Amino acid sequence: MNAPPPSTAFEPRQTSLGAGPWAWARAALEAVESRLECEREQIGLWVPVGAGCGIAAWFLLPHAMGWLAFCCAALAMACTGTMLPAGGRLRRMIVAGAILACMGCLLVWGKASLLGQPPLGRATFVELTGDVLSERRVPSQAIVRVMLRPVAAPGLPATVRVNIADADVPAGLGAGARIRFRVRLMPPAPPSVPGGYDFAARAYFQGIGATGRALKPVEVLRPSTASPSLRARLFGHIVERVDGPVEGIAAALATGDQGAISEADAEAMRRSGLAHLLSISGLHVTALIGAVIFLLMRVMALSRRAVLGWPLMLIAATGGALAGIGYTLLTGAEVPTVRSCVAALLVLGGLAMGRDAITLRLVAAGALVVLLFWPEALVGPSFQMSFAAVTALVALAEHPRFRAFAAARDEGMIRKGGRLLAVTLATGVAVELVLMPIALFHFHKAGLLGAFANLIAIPLTTFLVMPLEALALALDLVGLGAPAWWVTEQALNLLLLLAHSVAASPMATMVAPAMGATLFGMTVVGLLWCLLWRTGIRWLGLAPLGIGMAATLMASPPDVLVTGDGRHVAVRTEKGMATLRAGAGDYVRDVLSESAGHDGELEAIAALPQARCSADLCAVGLKDGTGRDWRLLLTRSDMLIARRDFARDCAAADIVISDRGLPRWCRPRWLKIDRRLLARTGGLSISLQDGEVHTVHRPGDAHPWIVRLRSGKSQL
């Protein structure tokens, strides 16, 4: 029997810290080293966390001096770590972690400087001639989304994204075509209100410098000669073969393109906790690779020569790996798909070598690969939710008690079915709990019934919908796919019915106001501490996790929200939320509702009993948590108002809000919000009781996607 490998536990030297007043430090160091010795297999899992800290610091700190200061502080910490006694794990962890954090900050800083696309300086109306780089149909919005490279337009970004209405799409549009049309180009939109979706940051790393909607006519100067991509052809084929609202779900499962899913169905999938089924990730990649391996093993098993002389598992694993890579490229190589593909390749490599590869080290390796190539993905919900879910599943599977409970055993069918149901429910609950703070931070809502909905949805999708859809596509090669498509459609109708049924429950989701970055960071640290360590010290992470979640759930929602253009204002009333412009679109209403932690309809401010509105102005009274009365004055039109009346109303108001520039003689009691202020701050959220005002833009923010004047000030 082989002897166990020698321990590398830290053994303090006699002269490490000496005695006397440093005895307590020596005892503390020995205690820490003893704990780290017990966790030595888990220490490597913190490598991507160290790099992620540096990437997160670059996004959180506002300008180059802050980024440089962070790198210097990280290197100083590494130098300080070298002063600890040699040979200890704590010394190596501090030095390596600090260097990784510095490298992460430099990595994303370098990519942003070298590869990002600066946004358009200001909105402009132009006649644009451009070469089509790619096109994508979005049937749910009746548009075609086109990526263009402007021709002979030195003042425009290198790449712009334009939407063309279906009715205006000309013949010959496609990759390689040259088209001409009139368009009002805008810089990519920043968050409308604090805590909202930051499309500007995402567009910067995607290379999009401006967006707009083409005005007809759209003239084709040079038609496209390239055939549509395989993904586009597959998307169009599936949409044609499947009827009804489930056509978009069928196309998304095969291609990852969700453009044909209606907003109502997409919202139902989100509220029911089933939206992950629409994003190509681990479930889809694993199902495909597993099916390919199963088929290859069965086909090769038909040959006695292959069974006796070929490395069947290696061949099948290679086939599964190629299928996974092809599927990843076909579906657009999004972050969840890349992460799943990398993880699957590592698993297949381990299986081919006869090793157990499904471990947290596999997850850490996949995260590190993604961060090296796409460091900006760290701050997106896709990366966070996909890796958090997989980490929770693997950590739960590695727990000795759960592994013992879930292990296969000789028992009756009823007990075996009950055990399988309990294991599935436990994994679903674990994933929902881990994803809750991430969902609250990014979307201001989290599912409560997703674990139960997934008990039906995941087996239905994995073992019925996806195999049926694959069979239908295969039968279409010989023109016999219609019956399989009909069965697929019925299975998808069942999935959509489940989503709408769960989403209709008042307990389906929990809403909360926008979560601050500090609280979110504290919560993430607590989650990682609980998931990555193995011994009892893991439960120390419950303290920051509990504090972050409790503070978020007990936080007072904002009383007033103002979008960055000043046109849309929402106020909190005793019965809910009300908006200034009743005709605001669904997107604006959803943004205002989610940021305020409000799950319901927005009524009109003009309909409130405490409001007095004309065609040009609205005066509304609010009460804060202490019962104090606040008076708001809101402009509703571009019409000029008599100075005497407007000056009187301004002086009587605590807050005046307008989407235009207000004159200096308009002096409210507390705050004047107009076009000039919003140009510097972006959207606002106001808490009346605390007197807190949160802004989208921070003073001096120098991230490259922030639109600013030549003087350095932000602009609309």
Side-chain angles (χ1 to χ4, degrees), residues 360-504:
L360 285 176
R361 293 195 176 195
L362 163 73
V363 181
L368 192 60
V369 170
V370 173
L371 292 179
L372 286 175
F373 290 96
W374 301 278
E376 70 279 4
L378 176 77
V379 298
S382 177
F383 176 92
Q384 295 172 10
M385 299 185 82
S386 61
F387 276 99
V390 175
T391 302
L393 290 174
V394 178
L396 181 63
E398 289 185 349
H399 195 280
R401 293 183 181 178
F402 182 83
R403 178 175 291 186
F405 176 80
R409 62 199 71 191
D410 187 12
E411 57 185 354
M413 293 297 296
I414 296 179
R415 290 179 62 87
K416 183 176 295 186
R419 189 179 303 278
L420 178 61
L421 184 64
V423 168
T424 305
L425 181 60
T427 55
V429 170
V431 170
E432 290 293 334
L433 290 176
V434 168
L435 295 185
M436 183 178 294
I438 302 175
L440 288 177
F441 178 73
H442 289 284
F443 311 117
H444 318 301
K445 63 176 64 175
L448 297 178
L449 301 180
F452 302 95
N454 278 288
L455 283 176
I456 301 174
I458 289 179
L460 175 65
T461 304
T462 306
F463 301 112
L464 187 61
V465 173
M466 293 183 67
L468 282 172
E469 189 165 347
L471 176 63
L473 289 171
L475 291 176
D476 275 347
L477 297 176
V478 293
L480 301 176
W485 281 120
W486 183 86
V487 179
T488 303
E489 184 179 324
Q490 305 314 307
L492 287 171
N493 282 326
L494 179 60
L495 177 65
L496 195 57
L497 176 63
L498 173 66
H500 280 281
S501 300
V502 174

Side-chain angles (χ1 to χ4, degrees), residues 280-637:
I280 304 299
S281 57
L283 174 67
H284 310 76
V285 175
T286 302
L288 174 68
I289 292 177
V292 170
I293 291 177
F294 176 82
L295 292 175
L296 288 177
M297 291 290 286
R298 290 298 180 270
V299 170
M300 290 187 294
L302 299 176
S303 169
R304 178 180 298 179
R305 179 180 179 183
V307 171
L308 296 178
W310 293 2
L312 300 187
M313 190 60 218
L314 180 60
I315 296 174
T318 302
L322 294 175
I325 294 173
Y327 190 44
T328 299
L329 297 176
L330 172 66
T331 55
E334 299 290 339
V335 170
T337 319
V338 172
R339 185 267 307 160
S340 303
C341 184
V342 171
L345 294 179
L346 293 174
V347 169
L348 293 176
L351 293 176
M353 293 184 293
R355 299 182 60 182
D356 183 11
I358 306 178
T359 65
L360 285 176
R361 293 195 176 195
L362 163 73
V363 181
L368 192 60
V369 170
V370 173
L371 292 179
L372 286 175
F373 290 96
W374 301 278
E376 70 279 4
L378 176 77
V379 298
S382 177
F383 176 92
Q384 295 172 10
M385 299 185 82
S386 61
F387 276 99
V390 175
T391 302
L393 290 174
V394 178
L396 181 63
E398 289 185 349
H399 195 280
R401 293 183 181 178
F402 182 83
R403 178 175 291 186
F405 176 80
R409 62 199 71 191
D410 187 12
E411 57 185 354
M413 293 297 296
I414 296 179
R415 290 179 62 87
K416 183 176 295 186
R419 189 179 303 278
L420 178 61
L421 184 64
V423 168
T424 305
L425 181 60
T427 55
V429 170
V431 170
E432 290 293 334
L433 290 176
V434 168
L435 295 185
M436 183 178 294
I438 302 175
L440 288 177
F441 178 73
H442 289 284
F443 311 117
H444 318 301
K445 63 176 64 175
L448 297 178
L449 301 180
F452 302 95
N454 278 288
L455 283 176
I456 301 174
I458 289 179
L460 175 65
T461 304
T462 306
F463 301 112
L464 187 61
V465 173
M466 293 183 67
L468 282 172
E469 189 165 347
L471 176 63
L473 289 171
L475 291 176
D476 275 347
L477 297 176
V478 293
L480 301 176
W485 281 120
W486 183 86
V487 179
T488 303
E489 184 179 324
Q490 305 314 307
L492 287 171
N493 282 326
L494 179 60
L495 177 65
L496 195 57
L497 176 63
L498 173 66
H500 280 281
S501 300
V502 174
S505 170
M507 298 178 58
T509 58
M510 172 180 62
V511 296
M515 186 179 187
T518 301
L519 288 178
F520 181 62
M522 183 186 302
T523 304
V524 170
V525 169
L527 274 177
L528 291 172
W529 194 273
C530 291
L531 293 175
L532 299 187
W533 293 130
R534 183 173 292 174
T535 62
I537 64 171
R538 70 193 312 173
W539 305 121
L540 296 177
L542 292 177
L545 176 60
I547 293 173
M549 289 299 298
T552 299
L553 297 178
M554 293 190 300
S556 299
D559 297 296
V560 182
L561 286 170
V562 185
T563 59
D565 57 6
R567 288 182 50 80
H568 302 284
V569 180
V571 298
R572 181 169 296 278
T573 67
E574 296 179 356
K575 297 182 179 180
M577 296 289 295
T579 183
L580 176 63
R581 303 181 189 274
D586 291 339
Y587 174 77
V588 173
R589 300 173 73 88
D590 289 343
V591 167
L592 294 174
S593 296
E594 291 173 1
S595 298
H598 173 69
D599 190 15
E601 293 295 326
L602 293 176
E603 58 181 324
I605 288 180
L608 298 177
Q610 67 269 35
R612 294 185 298 106
C613 294
S614 66
D616 303 317
L617 293 173
C618 258
V620 57
L622 300 178
K623 288 184 180 291
D624 63 18
T626 64
R628 176 186 171 183
D629 291 322
W630 293 79
R631 182 179 175 87
L632 276 66
L633 182 65
L634 318 172
T635 65
R636 304 179 67 189
S637 73

Side-chain angles (χ1 to χ4, degrees), residues 141-349:
Q141 301 179 31
I143 62 172
V144 173
R145 190 159 287 162
V146 179
M147 298 286 286
L148 292 166
R149 180 186 294 114
V151 176
L156 297 181
T159 305
V160 301
R161 194 185 77 178
V162 176
N163 295 333
I164 304 177
D166 282 346
D168 301 333
V169 175
L173 181 67
R178 176 168 291 183
I179 59 178
R180 182 169 59 200
F181 52 89
R182 292 175 300 131
V183 62
R184 185 171 186 262
L185 292 177
M186 300 282 292
S192 300
V193 292
Y197 173 60
D198 192 353
F199 174 67
R202 182 177 180 183
Y204 177 81
F205 286 101
Q206 289 182 337
I208 301 172
T211 62
R213 188 178 183 93
L215 302 177
K216 61 180 182 182
V218 179
E219 182 182 359
V220 177
L221 304 180
R222 184 184 64 209
S224 172
T225 57
S227 59
S229 65
L230 175 60
R231 185 188 188 192
R233 295 200 303 271
L234 183 60
F235 177 87
H237 176 77
I238 294 174
V239 170
E240 290 178 0
R241 300 293 286 173
V242 180
D243 296 326
V246 296
E247 63 180 15
I249 299 178
L253 290 176
T255 67
D257 190 337
Q258 302 180 29
I261 302 176
S262 68
E263 181 57 33
D265 292 340
E267 179 64 16
M269 296 292 284
R270 287 192 292 267
R271 290 179 62 89
S272 61
L274 304 181
H276 66 96
L277 298 177
L278 305 178
S279 176
I280 304 299
S281 57
L283 174 67
H284 310 76
V285 175
T286 302
L288 174 68
I289 292 177
V292 170
I293 291 177
F294 176 82
L295 292 175
L296 288 177
M297 291 290 286
R298 290 298 180 270
V299 170
M300 290 187 294
L302 299 176
S303 169
R304 178 180 298 179
R305 179 180 179 183
V307 171
L308 296 178
W310 293 2
L312 300 187
M313 190 60 218
L314 180 60
I315 296 174
T318 302
L322 294 175
I325 294 173
Y327 190 44
T328 299
L329 297 176
L330 172 66
T331 55
E334 299 290 339
V335 170
T337 319
V338 172
R339 185 267 307 160
S340 303
C341 184
V342 171
L345 294 179
L346 293 174
V347 169
L348 293 176

